[in-house]
Amino acid sequence: MRRHAFDRMMLLCSLLWMLWGPQVYAEQMPFRGVWIATVANIDFPSLEAVGDPLRQREELINILDSIQDLGMNAIVFQIRPTADALYYSELEPWSHWLTGKQGYWGELSNVFGEVQDGYDPLEFVTTEAHERGLAVHAWLNPYRVTIKTMDTTLLMPNHLMRLHPEWFWKYGEQWYFEPGLEETCDWICMVVEDVVCRYDIDAIHMDDYFYPYPLYRTAIPDTACFRLHSRGFTDIHAWRRDNVNRAIESISQTIRQTKPWVEFGISPFGVWRNQSRDSLGSVTTAGLTNYDNLYADVLYWIRRGWIDYVTPQLYWEVGHRAADYQTLAHWWAHAIARENSYAAEHGCSRSCKLYVGLAPYRLGQSTESMAWRHGNEIVKQMYINRTIPQIEGECFYSARPLLQNPLHVCDSIRAFYK
């Protein structure tokens, strides 16, 4: 009897959320977001706050207050940078970027950690962000296990890579899940389902890190997996794209089956393909592209209705020789309109929104081109966005450099959003 009553209550909650949940932040469009990167302590926590829950709370409050003051309505908070967790998880260990030692809040914590001092960063940031009218997009990196500065000795003895080394390969100085394995896709979906089920987030977000950025004269070590699990493919490049396609479709289904009001967004590298390789590509000469190098066919995901928004990282200035900002902003707008139209014609009821990723971290840097060293390139790009109807907002990378107010960009953004 008790179980039936619980099931009825959960069904009622789900129905109420289906009616109310998706509308909470609807009035806050256009999208105005900020990425909060945790890998290598880029934005949070500071090195001084690693392992210190009280200081981390204070830093998060300061970040959220500052973001709210700029007129933003969303944060993209990185919760899984390297197959670890900035939230309580029974699947993956606490991130060492958060605690100082992977899996532990202090030497006496249990393996995979306990919530220290009642502090779960994702729960805390979600509560505090929502109180400030900020939507929370939980940012996960699907395949990356280490970055260059991480040694595998940092991994816990019962880390998944130690338990199932056959699921992983090393490329350059970094370790990755093998995307060609069903086990990899199943694991990522399990992690996503866990987060979506237990936290009051508004979206799951993934950026440009699918297959690794190519290294000079270094082949991806997946030929053995391709031979064993080719699924009928004879072209390894097409097989790699299909691996990522299958993961995106499965993640999308997982989210929609768990909480259909939670969105799924992708922030890809800014160039899908160059027109020299594909008539549908952009008039650019980028050295690498999503489709050809990262095996992320973002347009296909839009066409199939698997993602709710796309935020291409247009981190180049207006007039850039290889990848002009204005050219790419218009290209993505036309591409989104075309793929949404195709999806609708083929019975898909969901359309994909377009936001644009901007790069305030480049402002005022002595190593950058003149456009970034003087004037206000970011606000110039925001004005361009307002001339393109398909662009419904922007997201800024990332919190720490943005809030340092280079070239008074925060003052300009605040005035722009009034």
Side-chain angles (χ1 to χ4, degrees):
M1 288 294 292
R2 200 175 294 172
R3 177 71 209 176
H4 293 314
F6 176 79
D7 289 343
R8 286 195 298 271
M9 181 184 71
M10 290 302 293
L11 177 60
L12 176 61
C13 289
S14 296
L15 292 173
L16 289 172
W17 265 105
M18 289 178 71
L19 292 173
W20 176 73
Q23 302 171 14
V24 175
Y25 298 101
E27 74 276 13
Q28 297 181 339
M29 294 299 291
F31 185 87
R32 304 168 179 177
V34 178
W35 278 286
I36 302 175
T38 59
V39 64
N41 303 103
I42 290 174
D43 296 316
F44 169 83
S46 68
L47 294 178
E48 295 78 13
V50 170
D52 185 340
L54 178 59
R55 191 158 183 172
Q56 289 180 20
R57 287 189 184 97
E58 293 172 350
E59 288 188 354
L60 284 171
I61 290 296
N62 288 334
I63 291 171
L64 295 175
D65 283 345
S66 299
I67 287 173
Q68 180 191 27
D69 179 65
L70 287 179
M72 303 295 176
N73 57 31
I75 60 168
V76 184
F77 183 57
Q78 191 175 29
I79 65 166
R80 185 185 187 256
T82 48
D84 49 9
L86 277 88
Y87 61 96
Y88 178 75
S89 173
E90 295 183 354
L91 300 174
E92 295 181 317
W94 288 111
S95 174
H96 77 283
W97 310 116
L98 183 78
T99 67
K101 181 178 180 180
Q102 189 180 84
Y104 295 88
W105 276 108
E107 293 297 331
L108 299 179
S109 294
N110 291 334
V111 170
F112 285 100
E114 296 175 344
V115 176
Q116 181 81 346
D117 191 26
Y119 169 61
D120 179 329
L122 180 55
E123 183 178 16
F124 180 81
V125 81
T126 299
T127 300
E128 294 293 332
H130 284 171
E131 288 180 359
R132 291 161 175 77
L134 300 168
V136 177
H137 294 224
W139 169 15
L140 291 77
N141 294 88
Y143 299 131
R144 187 173 62 194
V145 180
T146 66
I147 64 172
K148 291 179 182 178
T149 58
M150 284 179 63
D151 193 294
T152 53
T153 59
L154 294 173
L155 301 179
M156 296 181 63
N158 64 341
H159 188 282
L160 189 66
M161 198 175 94
R162 298 194 185 282
L163 299 177
H164 293 283
E166 70 279 9
W167 294 6
F168 302 86
W169 39 252
K170 187 179 184 183
Y171 183 67
E173 300 176 47
Q174 301 179 206
W175 283 89
Y176 298 86
F177 280 87
E178 166 53 75
L181 293 176
E182 290 291 341
E183 291 88 345
T184 290
C185 186
D186 291 345
W187 182 263
I188 296 168
C189 286
M190 189 159 50
V191 169
V192 168
E193 182 179 24
D194 178 53
V195 172
V196 172
C197 183
R198 293 194 295 113
Y199 293 91
D200 184 23
I201 60 171
D202 302 280
I204 288 290
H205 178 98
M206 293 183 179
D207 59 5
D208 51 322
Y209 288 102
F210 291 100
Y211 272 83
Y213 278 69
L215 300 173
Y216 182 64
R217 291 186 176 177
T218 305
I220 295 174
D222 61 352
T223 52
C225 185
F226 175 55
R227 286 195 296 267
L228 288 171
H229 307 284
S230 66
R231 301 189 303 276
F233 282 92
T234 56
D235 178 0
I236 194 170
H237 302 287
W239 174 76
R240 288 170 181 162
R241 272 186 290 276
D242 189 63
N243 292 336
V244 182
N245 289 346
R246 288 156 65 92
I248 295 297
E249 181 181 20
S250 297
I251 293 165
S252 179
Q253 291 174 349
T254 296
I255 295 168
R256 291 170 185 177
Q257 290 168 4
T258 306
K259 288 181 181 175
W261 59 88
V262 172
E263 292 191 330
F264 183 25
I266 303 290
S267 176
F269 180 72
V271 179
W272 174 71
R273 289 194 99 182
N274 295 314
Q275 197 174 79
S276 60
R277 297 290 299 272
D278 191 314
S279 62
L280 293 179
S282 52
V283 184
T284 50
T285 55
L288 59 87
T289 67
N290 282 292
Y291 184 94
D292 297 294
N293 303 105
L294 306 180
Y295 301 102
D297 190 358
V298 186
L299 297 192
Y300 184 71
W301 308 340
I302 298 168
R303 192 179 312 149
R304 297 303 298 268
W306 293 340
I307 58 177
D308 298 291
Y309 71 84
V310 63
T311 311
Q313 298 171 25
L314 304 191
Y315 293 169
W316 303 277
E317 68 270 19
V318 176
H320 190 280
R321 182 176 297 179
D324 170 57
Y325 179 87
Q326 193 157 345
T327 296
L328 282 165
H330 282 283
W331 182 88
W332 278 100
H334 291 312
I336 286 281
R338 182 185 66 243
E339 301 306 332
N340 278 338
S341 177
Y342 178 94
E345 289 172 3
H346 289 78
C348 179
S349 61
R350 303 178 79 115
S351 61
C352 181
K353 299 183 287 290
L354 172 62
Y355 314 135
V356 174
L358 303 180
Y361 73 91
R362 301 187 68 176
L363 288 171
Q365 300 297 311
S366 60
T367 55
E368 297 288 356
S369 66
M370 188 71 71
W372 297 102
R373 297 201 307 271
H374 303 282
N376 200 326
E377 180 67 20
I378 293 296
V379 172
K380 180 193 298 186
Q381 294 175 1
M382 293 169 70
Y383 274 108
I384 290 172
N385 294 349
R386 296 305 177 270
T387 70
I388 304 174
Q390 292 87 354
I391 296 179
E392 300 184 47
E394 48 263 329
C395 196
F396 300 88
Y397 186 83
S398 62
R400 191 189 299 271
L402 172 65
L403 297 177
Q404 290 171 350
N405 199 20
L407 301 183
H408 301 285
V409 68
C410 289
D411 309 306
S412 300
I413 291 171
R414 192 180 295 109
F416 190 93
Y417 281 156
K418 278 188 177 178

